[in-house]
Amino acid sequence: MDQSSLLYAGLVLLGATALTVYALVIFLSPELLVAHPSEKTYVSPSAPDALKPLGKLSDPPSVDLSVIIPAYNEFARLPDMLATTIAHLDSTPSRAPSPPSEGDIDIEVDLEPEHPPLFKPPPPLRRTYEIIIVDDGSKDDTPGAALAFGKTHPHVDMRVVKLRQNVGKGGAVRHGMLHARGRRLLMVDADGATRFADLEVLWRDMDIVLKRQGTLREADGEEGAAVVVGSRAHLVKTEAVVKRSVLRNILMYALHTLLRILGVGHIRDTQCGFKLFSRKAARALFPAQHLPAWAFDVELLLLARSTDIPVAEVPVAWHEVGGSKLNVVLDSAGMFRDLLLLKANFVLGRWGPASLERHTDSDHVSVDQNS
């Protein structure tokens, strides 16, 4: 076989390989999930049998804060988490907010073993709020637990949304975000592992970021785009991590390496379930979120970086809570697969900033398949 024939055969093999990889990426990549009509409704503790229409992220905000809680089989843990959440939100005094400054940041050492040193939060403000619990196809009575708890707190605007099937934490968060009414939107895990009062640190840092870019209040009355993520990175050398299994620590360092390759290595903890979004940032990010499982945080952060939305990272208090749904081996394998698909789709231009222009109507980009 002469040299030209070898070159031709090599090009054919290379082309076939590229087409095979492209086909695999398309086949394995999740599509944007579409909501069933029933999932665009909610029930409340005061009317558990009456389906009411949810709002839209594209609408103007009508409350100060939306708290979005994805919940899968959380019958046992959810009530305690809700009690802590509502206790903090209801304990905040009413006063006019003062513009924040970076000089306001102090360091406070908290001697409670489960609460590491944190930025000292400023006095919190009374805010109007809603709590959106997205039941991710639970097999237990998670919605019933939420509604029963809500009946003991009738002043709280609690909305319970039921997905027809389990789609994953990322899908549940996305659904809540796309139907939230808040000026700012907080995603928080149902296990209560993060100290909810640290919302004030996230809130203060978002004020600082928006003030720095001159978008704390824009001409239309809304804010600019910003994200503040809670971080457990300061716990890396504490007993909470050191005493974990060798396998979990190996997986953690492998994940950090892959995140640097993906381009979000500047965020030390991408997976903490405590993240605050301005409404403008949520509108820019969640409509284009494809990943429904554990790696969805990384996709959001990569989208933010690609669209120049500032992201701040703030240490928060965190402690281990029993009853985790995470399967270390299987879920880690799934997450690494999703991260590779994420990178491939961004490189191919199927996902990322370009997709934001194609997916702007929240009515068509919600979470469950229309089966």
Side-chain angles (χ1 to χ4, degrees):
M1 185 178 293
D2 57 23
Q3 188 172 0
S4 61
S5 298
L6 286 173
L7 178 61
Y8 177 76
L11 290 174
V12 170
L13 180 61
L14 182 62
T17 301
L19 287 174
T20 301
V21 171
Y22 184 75
L24 280 173
V25 168
I26 294 176
F27 178 75
L28 295 174
S29 298
E31 296 295 327
L32 287 172
L33 298 171
V34 179
H36 185 272
S38 67
E39 295 170 343
K40 298 177 184 179
T41 63
Y42 73 94
V43 294
S44 64
S46 61
D49 298 320
L51 294 177
K52 301 176 183 178
L54 286 165
K56 297 180 183 178
L57 187 60
S58 56
D59 295 336
S62 56
V63 293
D64 294 324
L65 173 68
S66 293
V67 179
I68 289 89
I69 306 171
Y72 176 68
N73 293 343
E74 293 290 357
F75 180 86
R77 299 192 296 183
L78 184 60
D80 286 342
M81 181 270 173
L82 289 173
T84 302
T85 298
I86 294 171
H88 174 75
L89 293 172
D90 287 350
S91 67
T92 56
S94 299
R95 66 175 177 84
S98 57
S101 65
E102 295 177 67
D104 291 337
I105 299 176
D106 299 315
I107 296 295
E108 180 184 66
V109 176
D110 191 330
L111 297 181
E112 296 179 56
E114 68 182 32
H115 295 157
L118 297 172
F119 291 141
K120 182 179 179 181
L125 305 177
R126 177 65 55 85
R127 308 181 184 97
T128 57
Y129 67 90
E130 66 176 353
I131 296 177
I132 300 177
I133 299 164
V134 183
D135 173 51
D136 189 18
S138 296
K139 297 177 181 178
D140 65 8
D141 193 18
T142 292
L147 293 171
F149 184 88
K151 287 181 179 179
T152 65
H153 297 75
H155 67 286
V156 176
D157 184 357
M158 183 180 295
R159 302 180 168 208
V160 179
V161 184
K162 301 178 184 179
L163 301 185
R164 290 168 30 126
Q165 63 187 39
N166 176 254
V167 296
K169 177 184 174 182
V173 169
R174 179 173 179 267
H175 188 70
M177 291 284 178
L178 289 175
H179 296 287
R181 299 178 299 142
R183 181 166 60 90
R184 293 182 181 177
L185 303 90
L186 177 75
M187 59 163 276
V188 56
D189 289 341
D191 59 6
T194 306
R195 183 169 60 186
F196 192 85
D198 288 341
L199 164 66
E200 304 311 325
V201 185
L202 271 64
W203 195 281
R204 187 267 317 276
D205 273 47
M206 180 167 285
D207 281 348
I208 291 173
V209 170
L210 294 174
K211 183 182 178 185
R212 191 182 293 157
Q213 63 182 14
T215 60
L216 188 58
R217 293 290 186 276
E218 296 190 324
D220 59 3
E222 291 197 31
E223 303 175 323
V227 181
V228 182
V229 302
S231 175
R232 303 159 298 179
H234 55 289
L235 296 172
V236 168
K237 295 184 179 180
T238 66
E239 290 187 359
V241 174
V242 171
K243 290 187 176 181
R244 291 194 313 186
S245 67
V246 173
L247 175 60
R248 291 193 69 168
N249 283 319
I250 290 175
L251 291 172
M252 179 183 71
Y253 288 114
L255 172 62
H256 290 170
T257 300
L258 186 53
L259 292 177
R260 284 194 292 271
I261 295 173
L262 285 171
V264 291
H266 61 297
I267 303 297
R268 298 177 65 197
D269 182 6
T270 61
Q271 301 308 113
C272 181
F274 201 63
K275 294 181 173 67
L276 183 66
F277 300 81
S278 70
R279 193 169 186 84
K280 185 164 286 188
R283 285 173 178 165
L285 301 177
F286 285 98
Q289 176 203 324
H290 288 75
L291 295 177
W294 300 102
F296 80 100
D297 305 78
V298 179
E299 183 179 7
L300 292 172
L301 294 171
L302 193 56
L303 281 167
R305 183 159 193 171
S306 301
T307 51
D308 295 322
I309 294 176
V311 178
E313 186 173 10
V314 181
V316 295
W318 179 91
H319 64 283
E320 191 78 40
V321 177
S324 173
K325 311 298 187 300
L326 180 69
N327 182 303
V328 175
V329 176
L330 294 180
D331 289 325
S332 295
M335 185 169 183
F336 284 118
R337 177 205 61 206
D338 286 349
L339 291 177
L340 292 175
L341 288 174
L342 177 60
K343 182 64 174 179
N345 280 291
F346 264 69
V347 169
L348 293 171
R350 300 183 68 243
W351 297 359
S355 69
L356 288 170
E357 299 178 2
R358 300 194 298 268
H359 307 298
T360 56
D361 183 358
S362 63
D363 281 338
H364 301 286
V365 291
S366 200
V367 275
D368 202 7
Q369 292 177 338
N370 190 356
S371 57

